[in-house]
Amino acid sequence: MTRKITIGVIAFFVVIILLFVQPISFENIDAGNVGIKINLYGTDKGVDNITLVTGRVWYNSWTTKIIEFPTFTQSVDYDPFVITTKDAAEFKVDPKLNYHINPDKVPQIYRQYRRPLGEIQQGFMKNTIYDAYRIAANSFTSDSVMSNREVFENRVQNILTQTLGKDGFIYDQLTSAITPPPSLRQMIDEKNTSIQARLKAENMAKQAEAEAKVLVAKAEGQAKATLIRAHAEAEANELRRKTLTPLLIQQEWVAKWNGVLPTTSAGGASLMLGIK
């Protein structure tokens, strides 16, 4: 009886141990990720070219390994570094890259680099980005980098699209944060100050010219108004002159007479109306 109990206890512990050490396991591939199954032993050792769909995946942990790769957008902020233009000016670049992985290329990426994504970002991708900036800088002068920054960054982006895209890394956005050398920065500031001063002087000259035009316009308006009034008064006088007959003049004189006859040196009085 005691022996049976002992055997039962041993069997129980063996089952427990087997449950803990048995190789069958599972992996949950989260949404926004893809998984690849890697055979650790046998003739098919390595990536077996199967992209696992999102969900729970059962596998033998003794012979198989599951690697997950995120396919949603990744943002990587790289350390600043220095690039040199073709006229030997040094610019500091502080790049920040946004990208995502083509799910169909995940097995190829792992087969080629055999590294987790974080190591790939700080290895191959970092070197590719630095090289893209250096290649682009070799075809620009310091002035052209600053005056054609958009063209310069487009050149860098085209290089990254070609080099990263062929390996399954889809370029989304790149921020360069280019900083010119202090001497060039000073020259740019002085140039901007000069341009601003010139524009201010031009604006002041235009404003003075506009104000002068307003004054001239007002003077011309006043002169025209005076001339118009003079013409109107002259025409009115001429009209009155033409319409006044001798009879009307006499009638107006009589209307204004106060009844006192004018006196002469002979002491007499006379009234000459000249009325017929």
Side-chain angles (χ1 to χ4, degrees), residues 20-268:
F20 278 100
V21 301
Q22 60 85 25
I24 303 302
S25 182
F26 67 89
E27 187 80 22
N28 286 320
I29 309 299
D30 297 329
N33 294 266
V34 294
I36 54 174
K37 184 169 64 175
I38 302 170
N39 291 326
L40 303 177
Y41 302 98
T43 56
D44 293 331
K45 184 171 62 176
V47 182
D48 66 358
N49 295 322
I50 296 178
T51 300
L52 302 178
V53 296
T54 300
R56 177 170 296 183
V57 180
W58 293 91
Y59 65 100
N60 187 330
S61 61
W62 290 355
T63 61
T64 307
K65 181 169 66 173
I66 301 295
I67 300 292
E68 280 190 72
F69 275 80
T71 55
F72 55 88
T73 298
Q74 303 292 306
S75 182
V76 187
D77 193 354
Y78 289 101
D79 294 332
F81 65 101
V82 175
I83 58 174
T84 304
T85 59
K86 65 180 181 181
D87 57 348
E90 293 185 344
F91 286 75
K92 186 176 74 171
V93 180
D94 189 5
K96 183 176 181 179
L97 176 68
N98 291 339
Y99 77 97
H100 67 277
I101 293 178
N102 182 352
D104 297 334
K105 293 290 187 70
V106 169
Q108 174 184 329
I109 291 173
Y110 186 81
R111 186 187 305 111
Q112 182 172 352
Y113 299 104
R114 297 299 179 96
R115 294 287 187 276
L117 184 58
E119 294 183 17
I120 297 174
Q121 290 176 167
Q122 295 300 325
F124 160 72
M125 294 182 67
K126 177 180 178 180
N127 294 335
T128 300
I129 292 171
Y130 285 15
D131 288 343
Y133 276 103
R134 294 189 175 108
I135 292 171
N138 286 334
S139 59
F140 283 81
T141 62
S142 56
D143 288 340
S144 61
V145 169
M146 298 307 299
S147 58
N148 299 283
R149 182 175 297 186
E150 184 176 353
V151 177
F152 172 77
E153 293 190 349
N154 286 339
R155 185 77 58 83
V156 175
Q157 292 168 7
N158 289 336
I159 296 173
L160 291 179
T161 299
Q162 295 175 3
T163 54
L164 296 178
K166 64 183 179 62
D167 288 335
F169 302 98
I170 309 301
Y171 159 86
D172 291 328
Q173 185 181 16
L174 179 67
T175 303
S176 299
I178 301 176
T179 304
S183 58
L184 182 58
R185 180 74 266 174
Q186 182 179 357
M187 292 174 58
I188 293 173
D189 291 341
E190 292 175 351
K191 181 179 179 181
N192 290 336
T193 301
S194 175
I195 292 174
Q196 291 174 2
R198 177 173 57 82
L199 292 176
K200 183 178 180 180
E202 291 177 354
N203 291 334
M204 291 178 65
K206 290 179 180 179
Q207 183 178 357
E209 182 181 356
E211 291 175 352
K213 288 182 178 180
V214 171
L215 293 176
V216 170
K218 288 182 178 180
E220 290 178 350
Q222 292 174 356
K224 288 180 180 179
T226 302
L227 184 59
I228 290 172
R229 286 195 298 269
H231 280 302
E233 186 175 354
E235 290 178 357
N237 290 336
E238 178 65 18
L239 181 61
R240 284 196 296 269
R241 185 187 65 79
K242 292 180 178 180
T243 56
L244 286 177
T245 63
L247 179 58
L248 289 175
I249 294 174
Q250 290 180 359
Q251 289 177 349
E252 186 177 352
W253 181 82
V254 170
K256 293 181 179 180
W257 180 46
N258 58 6
V260 179
L261 293 175
T263 60
T264 65
S265 60

